[in-house]
Amino acid sequence: MLAVLQARMSSSRLPGKVLAPILGRPMIALQIERLRRARRLTGLVVATSTAAEDDAIAACCREIGAGCYRGPLDDVLARFTGALAAAGTPKTFLRLTADCPLADWTLVDRCIEAHEASGADLTYTSEGWTFPKGLDVEVVETAALMAAKHEARDPYEREHVTPFIYRHRERFSLHSLTRDPPLRYRWTVDTPEDFAFVSAVYGALYPGKPDFTSEDILEHPDRVLINELP
């Protein structure tokens, strides 16, 4: 299955975060390395914008051998459908965001398998916040996204790609993958504090175990609890 990873340099809260260095490498490169471990992924493309500031993301993709598609900056929905068309319009795809450098490839595989078993239009992991923020995965039928592309008018739906599908549950079937007990942690990167946390995790785990898992992170509660949210 193709993964589409959306990325831009113009984050309002932490500009340039996707290329910020962790252990001397761009954050997005480390995330892609992790995602490439997923057994059920057959390819990955970074969907960035045509804005000049995102030239650096395209250059990074070339350096690490990752596919890159460039489309509208603000209409991310159109950017996704363009990336899918350029990839041959696969029936199903995986949606990810580049502010999640602790992405769990085992959860990616589980979500794909759950989606295939459910026959849903969209399978997701964010229901009730049972997985740490930063491990979010969406598996989406391209036909559902194409309907969103043609019908969505709300700028929020255009910017955030899948809300049109969530808002029309009378038309689309949704399936959620949850964790029991829940882990209400914050492992995404939106602030300098988030970036410091993720950098600390990589510094502690990556040198000795580049393929560290979420379970490995949980064995370091001193590094997890500082970012726990109520």
Side-chain angles (χ1 to χ4, degrees):
M1 184 176 294
L2 177 72
V4 181
L5 178 66
Q6 69 185 71
R8 63 178 179 135
M9 292 293 284
S10 55
S11 166
S12 59
R13 285 177 284 188
L14 192 61
K17 63 185 177 183
V18 298
L19 295 184
I22 298 176
L23 299 180
R25 295 175 60 193
M27 187 175 83
I28 193 173
L30 290 169
Q31 181 178 358
I32 290 172
E33 177 185 320
R34 291 179 65 75
L35 292 169
R36 282 172 168 167
R37 301 182 190 279
R39 296 177 295 104
R40 300 300 304 272
L41 288 185
T42 57
L44 183 147
V45 61
V46 174
T48 192
S49 88
T50 54
E53 61 193 329
D54 288 329
D55 291 351
I57 292 177
C60 177
C61 289
R62 288 193 295 272
E63 290 173 6
I64 64 176
C68 183
Y69 175 85
R70 305 186 70 172
L73 175 62
D74 297 321
D75 190 348
V76 189
L77 175 53
R79 194 194 311 169
F80 261 74
T81 56
L84 292 170
T89 315
K91 178 179 179 296
T92 313
F93 70 96
L94 189 87
R95 175 179 176 248
L96 300 158
T97 58
D99 53 3
C100 302
L102 298 178
D104 188 331
W105 68 92
T106 66
L107 184 57
V108 166
D109 284 334
R110 285 178 56 198
C111 199
I112 292 172
E113 290 162 3
H115 181 81
E116 292 174 347
S118 71
D121 292 303
L122 189 155
T123 299
Y124 61 108
T125 61
S126 56
E127 181 77 27
W129 192 8
T130 64
F131 292 98
K133 296 284 189 184
L135 300 190
D136 296 354
V137 180
E138 288 179 320
V139 183
V140 189
E141 292 299 300
T142 299
L145 198 75
M146 291 302 295
K149 174 193 174 183
H150 294 304
E151 300 178 41
R153 298 292 181 267
D154 185 340
Y156 180 85
E157 294 174 342
R158 308 296 304 190
E159 179 183 358
H160 296 284
V161 185
T162 52
F164 181 88
I165 300 172
Y166 288 97
R167 289 173 170 178
H168 292 276
R169 295 178 184 240
E170 77 284 357
R171 292 177 54 186
F172 304 109
S173 59
L174 278 69
H175 178 70
S176 64
L177 190 65
T178 58
R179 187 188 192 282
D180 187 23
L183 292 175
R184 295 178 63 83
Y185 296 127
R186 179 179 174 81
W187 292 357
T188 189
V189 176
D190 278 325
T191 68
E193 292 77 16
D194 294 337
F195 184 74
F197 164 71
V198 167
S199 296
V201 169
Y202 268 94
L205 299 177
Y206 186 90
K209 188 179 181 182
D211 60 346
F212 67 88
T213 66
S214 295
E215 295 304 313
D216 294 318
I217 301 171
L218 292 171
E219 291 178 3
H220 294 265
D222 56 320
R223 296 183 178 89
V224 174
L225 294 177
I226 60 169
N227 250 11
E228 186 179 21
L229 296 182

